[in-house]
Amino acid sequence: MAIVSIIFLLGNIFMGHFEERSPNWRKLVKYLVTVCIIVAISIFAGRTYAFILFGLAFIPVIYAHGILLPKKGINGWTGEPKSKYYEFRGWDKIFFK
């Protein structure tokens, strides 16, 4: 649970700008569901399987930030240009008009 929390903390510090317009309740639910799943797997299947699943959860993240966003002309680390990123997420681009 501590490792999952640390990863989420670091993710929010370094990649939080990708979720700046997401509602706070959604971020909280995402964290709680992830912790519950990892803890449950750790209890019922073992810590090794929980770590494997948690590691596999990074595959879509790596794909999105390393392949998908750059294909759309968006920097996968900074989320710039913001106008393209907001369009990609379907967020209102009122700040960029």
Side-chain angles (χ1 to χ4, degrees):
M1 194 164 133
I3 292 173
V4 172
S5 296
I6 289 169
I7 297 295
F8 264 84
L9 169 73
L10 294 173
N12 281 323
I13 290 170
F14 293 111
M15 299 296 216
H17 55 274
F18 286 104
E19 294 289 331
E20 62 190 7
R21 301 282 303 269
S22 295
N24 288 334
W25 66 266
R26 188 174 182 181
K27 296 176 202 177
L28 178 64
V29 169
K30 179 180 170 183
Y31 169 72
L32 293 175
V33 167
T34 303
V35 168
C36 289
I37 290 171
I38 295 300
V39 168
I41 291 172
S42 182
I43 290 170
F44 295 111
R47 186 173 39 170
T48 303
Y49 290 106
F51 282 134
I52 290 170
L53 177 67
F54 193 59
L56 290 174
F58 282 100
I59 292 173
V61 174
I62 292 167
Y63 173 77
H65 291 273
I67 297 170
L68 184 63
L69 289 175
K71 278 186 182 179
K72 303 282 186 182
I74 304 165
N75 184 313
W77 183 254
T78 63
E80 295 174 342
K82 292 282 189 186
S83 59
K84 282 186 178 183
Y85 182 68
Y86 276 39
E87 182 179 329
F88 175 75
R89 291 290 302 258
W91 291 340
D92 187 13
K93 297 182 294 182
I94 194 165
F95 300 111
F96 302 104
K97 291 182 182 180

